[in-house]
Amino acid sequence: MQNELLVKYLLQLADNAMVIGHRNSEWCGHGPVLEQDIAMTNIALDHLGQARNFFQYAAILQGNGATEDSLAYLRLEREYKNCLLTEQPNGDWAQTILRQFFFSAYQSPLYQQLMNSRDEQIAAISNKSLKEVTYHLRWSSEWVIRLGDGTPESHQRIANAIEALWPYTGELFMPSDEELAMQKENIGADLTSIKTVWENNVKEVFDEAGLAVPAQGYAQQGGKKGLHTEHMGYILAELQYMQRAYPDSQW
């Protein structure tokens, strides 16, 4: 039973990284300037690398012929347990930046805790991933400040992004059954303490950007249970096309 819960926990971590990585990859060739186009593409690759590491470990534990590819490409929509925030559309540059900032501000304390996981493989993946996420958080924080403290138009765009994305942040800290079980076993993280770090980080950056932190309201949820927004089906249609059209194809 614990092994099954561990696999589900790993898949949740992998799904979050993969879906936001795929979303970011949609900016490749479309960034506002070349330097930021490259930065966003590299962040996308970092997330996909994190997803691969978690998928590979989950496949070993699951057995029965499972591979990182089968877990990434051959599951149905409701079998993905990523948070709804990660699947939100790119929108304009401000919305993409804010989505990355919210997620990186969550991933940073998450990986810091998971570095001390009783599971040595999770700890090792988290240690490697934290180095990447530290850059993601710094980069996205600087952009939130630049947009919020910039021109009237840039301030309005980031304000609109906050209004659109804030309702999806609460789910990050609503523990699933797998997260509760893994925390109890000293394998997973404590989302309550992560939420405190996240809130402090967001307030610090928003204050410098001249942005108001919204009041806590209704939180959209369902992703951790496989109940997704209308966007998820389109993501999977693109993500899974090659593998489903040409089963077992390899480079």
Side-chain angles (χ1 to χ4, degrees):
M1 181 64 179
Q2 181 178 338
N3 189 70
E4 181 181 348
L5 288 171
L6 177 55
V7 169
K8 290 181 178 180
Y9 182 65
L10 291 167
L11 290 178
Q12 184 176 309
L13 293 170
D15 290 345
N16 275 331
M18 182 181 71
V19 173
I20 196 169
H22 181 75
R23 272 301 194 204
N24 287 343
S25 74
E26 294 173 347
W27 274 100
C28 185
H30 300 281
V33 293
L34 181 59
E35 181 182 2
Q36 303 310 324
D37 188 305
I38 294 172
M40 181 59 74
T41 302
N42 284 332
I43 291 173
L45 289 171
D46 287 342
H47 282 308
L48 293 177
Q50 295 166 21
R52 285 196 66 190
N53 287 330
F54 287 122
F55 278 138
Q56 288 169 353
Y57 185 30
I60 291 172
L61 294 178
Q62 181 168 312
N64 297 321
T67 66
E68 60 175 300
D69 286 340
S70 67
L71 294 176
Y73 297 127
L74 299 180
R75 286 182 292 150
L76 301 176
E77 180 177 330
R78 290 205 170 187
E79 294 175 305
Y80 288 82
K81 302 303 171 65
N82 56 285
C83 294
L84 300 179
L85 175 67
T86 63
E87 64 196 53
Q88 295 310 297
N90 288 329
D92 61 13
W93 184 247
Q95 181 159 319
T96 293
I97 288 297
L98 189 68
R99 184 188 62 203
Q100 186 63 50
F101 169 65
F102 282 156
F103 188 66
S104 295
Y106 157 78
Q107 266 198 326
S108 179
L110 172 69
Y111 284 150
Q112 287 180 42
Q113 285 198 24
L114 291 181
M115 283 172 57
N116 299 313
S117 172
R118 188 165 61 83
D119 186 296
E120 294 182 357
Q121 188 65 19
I122 290 179
I125 295 171
S126 300
N127 182 50
K128 178 181 182 298
S129 300
L130 181 60
K131 299 172 185 177
E132 300 167 344
V133 172
T134 299
Y135 165 71
H136 302 170
L137 180 56
R138 183 176 70 249
W139 179 84
S140 58
S141 297
E142 290 172 353
W143 263 107
V144 170
I145 294 168
R146 183 184 300 182
L147 293 169
D149 195 33
T151 66
E153 180 178 357
S154 71
H155 182 91
Q156 186 59 53
R157 284 178 180 269
I158 196 69
N160 292 343
I162 294 171
E163 182 178 359
L165 295 178
W166 187 260
Y168 296 98
T169 59
E171 184 188 21
L172 295 169
F173 313 105
M174 297 177 180
S176 63
D177 292 341
E178 295 78 22
E179 287 173 316
L180 289 173
M182 292 301 100
Q183 179 188 349
K184 186 177 180 180
E185 295 294 329
N186 295 320
I187 293 174
D190 174 16
L191 293 183
T192 300
S193 61
I194 289 174
K195 182 180 181 181
T196 300
V197 176
W198 184 88
E199 289 176 337
N200 291 338
N201 204 330
V202 169
K203 185 178 187 308
E204 180 180 348
V205 171
F206 275 25
D207 284 349
E208 189 170 350
L211 298 166
V213 176
Q216 292 291 341
Y218 175 77
Q220 297 285 352
Q221 56 184 296
K224 293 184 179 183
K225 296 181 179 180
L227 303 176
H228 297 282
T229 66
E230 67 273 19
H231 309 297
M232 189 64 177
Y234 293 102
I235 291 173
L236 294 181
E238 180 177 354
L239 184 68
Q240 297 182 341
Y241 178 80
M242 286 293 292
Q243 186 60 243
R244 292 186 180 277
Y246 304 97
D248 301 321
S249 58
Q250 297 181 357
W251 289 104

